[in-house]
Amino acid sequence: MKVFVVVLKQIQKAAVCSRRWVSSCARGGPSPLRDRTLIVGSSRELVQSLGGQVEVRAAFITEQEEEAFLRELEPGLKKKRYEYDHWDHAIHGYRETERVTWGAACEEVLNRVRSVAFPDGSPLLGPVHILDLDKTGYIKAHIDSVKFCGSTIAGLCLLSDSVMRLVKEDSNKEWLDLLLPRRSLYILRDQARYSFTHEILKDEESVFNGQRVLRQRRISVICRNLPG
Ligand code: OGA
Ligand code: MN
């Protein structure tokens, strides 16, 4: 997927406004992450106006479901080497793969992702994209190619918490930070996907709302739709 992205420069940063996000839980019941703030931004107005196009759902998958993904993905990923040396690429310290067919447990989760993230009947990109970032890996600011990907990007986050930053392409004073807890789902739609760059912060810079967020190895499982 690295060929699908364009790296864009960005500078940071200003005051913070937050929105409390009531997380949804995969199996119901109380979640320790409930009511935790998962989205902050440069202004209240931006958090509110972009709010409908950016979602973070904490505890979208259970520990057992995360294990099912790891069981399916690890054998293939382990055969690949992490790539570090392409300084001009958007993604550093990564290995990646794509997968079309899944075992029952993962397929069930992916159907849940598809049903909450994409409009009914929206044609999806067939293969699911798997991106494995090493502990030192990170993703620079970019916008996914509009030629290959449609209006919606939905990603499951495995193994580590992380911080995703969105910055308005033509006005870098406008930004949102998303805390992506381990086992969460994030969804970027429309303007959040087309007019804002997104990036995953490297461990040294991984701070959300003033709080350090330890970045470990992180695997994302990303579903996209096709351009309309
Ligand atoms: C990408 C990307 C985000 C993630 O591969 O284009 O932005 O969550 N990935 O890994
Ligand atoms: Mn991307």
Side-chain angles (χ1 to χ4, degrees):
M1 191 57 61
K2 59 186 175 293
V3 295
F4 292 172
V5 301
V6 179
V7 182
L8 292 163
K9 292 207 179 96
Q10 59 100 52
I11 321 165
Q12 289 303 118
K13 194 103 207 203
V16 173
C17 272
S18 76
R19 163 176 177 151
R20 293 193 89 68
W21 195 271
V22 180
S23 57
S24 65
C25 204
R27 294 274 176 264
S31 156
L33 295 172
R34 219 170 173 80
D35 267 345
R36 206 165 136 194
T37 298
L38 299 177
I39 302 177
V40 297
S42 49
S43 71
R44 185 183 302 275
E45 292 70 32
L46 183 67
V47 174
Q48 274 166 2
S49 66
L50 213 61
Q53 298 166 34
V54 178
E55 275 185 56
V56 181
R57 299 189 180 212
F60 189 79
I61 62 172
T62 63
E63 286 177 30
Q64 292 73 22
E65 288 168 335
E66 180 182 46
E67 278 160 21
F69 275 98
L70 295 174
R71 268 197 306 277
E72 284 213 28
L73 296 173
E74 280 287 33
L77 287 171
K78 277 199 179 126
K79 293 191 191 130
K80 298 174 181 250
R81 278 188 310 112
Y82 286 106
E83 298 192 33
Y84 298 95
D85 37 4
H86 305 291
W87 61 270
D88 56 336
H89 284 175
I91 311 178
H92 289 255
Y94 72 100
R95 48 193 184 183
E96 67 185 338
T97 186
E98 292 185 334
R99 185 173 281 246
V100 178
T101 47
W102 297 85
C106 297
E107 189 61 34
E108 199 241 279
V109 172
L110 290 168
N111 283 334
R112 221 161 66 219
V113 171
R114 291 173 187 126
S115 72
V116 301
F118 298 96
D120 267 351
S122 169
L124 304 188
L125 210 66
V128 174
H129 177 204
I130 291 99
L131 185 65
D132 176 353
L133 289 180
D134 175 30
K135 180 174 169 44
T136 62
Y138 60 98
I139 307 177
K140 290 199 232 170
H142 68 278
I143 293 176
D144 286 20
S145 162
V146 295
K147 210 162 131 190
F148 297 102
C149 319
S151 62
T152 305
I153 302 166
L156 289 170
C157 305
L158 314 182
L159 291 178
S160 176
D161 298 344
S162 58
V163 179
M164 177 177 273
R165 177 163 296 157
L166 307 191
V167 180
K168 191 138 196 270
E169 194 188 4
D170 57 8
S171 162
N172 59 29
K173 290 196 181 71
E174 293 181 58
W175 55 270
L176 292 187
D177 276 356
L178 279 46
L179 176 60
L180 304 180
R182 179 177 185 178
R183 294 187 289 276
S184 65
L185 172 74
Y186 69 84
I187 307 170
L188 306 180
R189 297 188 175 93
D190 305 324
Q191 289 313 298
R193 174 261 182 275
Y194 291 116
S195 307
F196 286 72
T197 61
H198 57 271
E199 63 195 290
I200 295 286
L201 303 186
K202 59 174 81 162
D203 183 44
E204 305 94 272
E205 295 168 5
S206 190
V207 173
F208 175 80
N209 205 14
Q211 292 242 320
R212 174 90 171 96
V213 177
L214 258 185
R215 250 293 315 287
Q216 315 283 353
R217 177 187 174 206
R218 168 187 188 268
I219 297 178
S220 50
V221 176
I222 307 162
C223 299
R224 296 176 169 93
N225 56 359
L226 290 167

